[in-house]
Amino acid sequence: MKYKIALFLLLIFVLQSCQDENEKRRAENEKVAKKNEKIFNNINKAWIFIDEPINDIAEQKISSWNEWRDFLKEIGEKPRRTIGAFQKKSKAISNKAMALNNNIPPEFNQPAIKSRISILITKVRMMDLFIHLSKIPDEKVTFLIGDINKEIVSLERQMDKIVEKAKIPKEEGEADFLRMLDTTRAIPNTNADQMRMHNLDQNSPKVE
């Protein structure tokens, strides 16, 4: 009889322990779910990119610079419902950003533009890195979204400056002055000239 009672009590203890473990696991899952929901809501709220050109110059480039057009289109498509969708979209944006180094229009293929593209790519790749971490630092992701928007504006303004500067007519004589800055044309080879003059003097007939 005592054996049956002990077995019964042990069974109750095991069942109670399993129930407590299930409750603990359920509470932990609820805690994780709430945290993930908060992360999702923060990122979803901040996920607003400048996907339209801010000036006429950038608008014109959409038709000729395919990579820039594709990048703006990619950031304009907002993911929905799950953090996984944001992760997938972030990777796609990163790929489009990397492509901006290709086929840069000739008038923009200069250091001022390339440096801004490089900074933009760095910001996008950082965002993609953070959003794929197991514990997503949502505050860093949202901060980088703002930074990416700033870099987009900076790049488009630089485009505008380059085009506007190209419209300014050169003053009379400026082209000649710029050519004179070319040292290969402006500075004669004086040493070679002096040697030639010396040789001519040596070889010329002398009158007694």
Side-chain angles (χ1 to χ4, degrees):
M1 185 68 180
K2 290 181 179 180
Y3 174 76
K4 290 182 178 179
I5 293 173
L7 184 62
F8 178 73
L9 292 175
L10 178 62
L11 180 61
I12 292 176
F13 176 76
V14 170
L15 291 174
Q16 185 65 40
S17 296
C18 290
Q19 186 176 0
D20 290 344
E21 187 66 28
N22 289 337
E23 288 294 332
K24 183 179 179 181
R25 188 180 298 110
R26 187 180 299 109
E28 189 66 28
N29 289 339
E30 289 179 358
K31 183 178 179 181
V32 172
K34 287 181 179 180
K35 184 177 181 179
N36 288 340
E37 183 180 4
K38 180 182 178 182
I39 290 173
F40 172 83
N41 289 335
N42 289 341
I43 293 176
N44 183 55
K45 183 178 179 180
W47 197 278
I48 301 174
F49 290 102
I50 299 175
D51 60 341
E52 294 291 336
I54 65 169
N55 53 40
D56 293 338
I57 303 304
E59 178 75 37
Q60 294 168 12
K61 289 301 109 184
I62 288 182
S63 60
S64 59
W65 190 4
N66 294 334
E67 288 75 12
W68 181 245
R69 181 188 64 232
D70 293 344
F71 174 73
L72 292 182
K73 181 180 178 182
E74 196 68 58
I75 63 175
E77 297 172 351
K78 185 175 182 178
R80 302 290 179 185
R81 297 182 181 179
T82 65
I83 196 66
F86 281 99
Q87 291 172 330
K88 184 177 179 180
K89 173 57 68 174
S90 178
K91 177 59 65 178
I93 292 174
S94 180
N95 290 336
K96 295 297 182 182
M98 291 291 291
L100 291 175
N101 281 317
N102 303 326
N103 304 315
I104 300 174
E107 66 269 34
F108 298 144
N109 194 9
Q110 51 183 278
I113 292 293
K114 289 182 176 180
S115 64
R116 283 167 173 78
I117 291 176
S118 178
I119 295 173
L120 176 59
I121 290 174
T122 299
K123 300 290 186 181
V124 171
R125 294 187 69 182
M126 286 176 63
M127 180 189 72
D128 186 47
L129 172 65
F130 286 133
I131 204 171
H132 277 92
L133 294 176
S134 55
K135 295 182 179 180
I136 301 174
D138 51 303
E139 70 283 355
K140 292 184 178 179
V141 174
T142 56
F143 179 81
L144 282 166
I145 290 172
D147 262 9
I148 290 168
N149 281 324
K150 291 178 183 177
E151 297 306 328
I152 291 173
V153 171
S154 176
L155 178 56
E156 293 190 339
R157 283 178 176 168
Q158 186 61 35
M159 291 182 193
D160 191 54
K161 287 180 181 179
I162 290 172
V163 172
E164 290 301 318
K165 186 176 180 180
K167 292 179 181 178
I168 302 174
K170 289 184 172 60
E171 296 182 3
E172 185 178 354
E174 184 177 351
D176 294 334
F177 174 74
L178 292 175
R179 280 196 296 269
M180 287 298 295
L181 293 179
D182 184 352
T183 57
T184 61
R185 303 170 73 177
I187 302 176
N189 192 340
T190 55
N191 290 334
D193 290 343
Q194 289 175 358
M195 287 297 294
R196 281 195 295 270
M197 291 298 295
H198 178 73
N199 290 336
L200 286 174
D201 290 341
Q202 291 291 331
N203 297 328
S204 60
K206 297 182 178 179
V207 179
E208 296 292 340

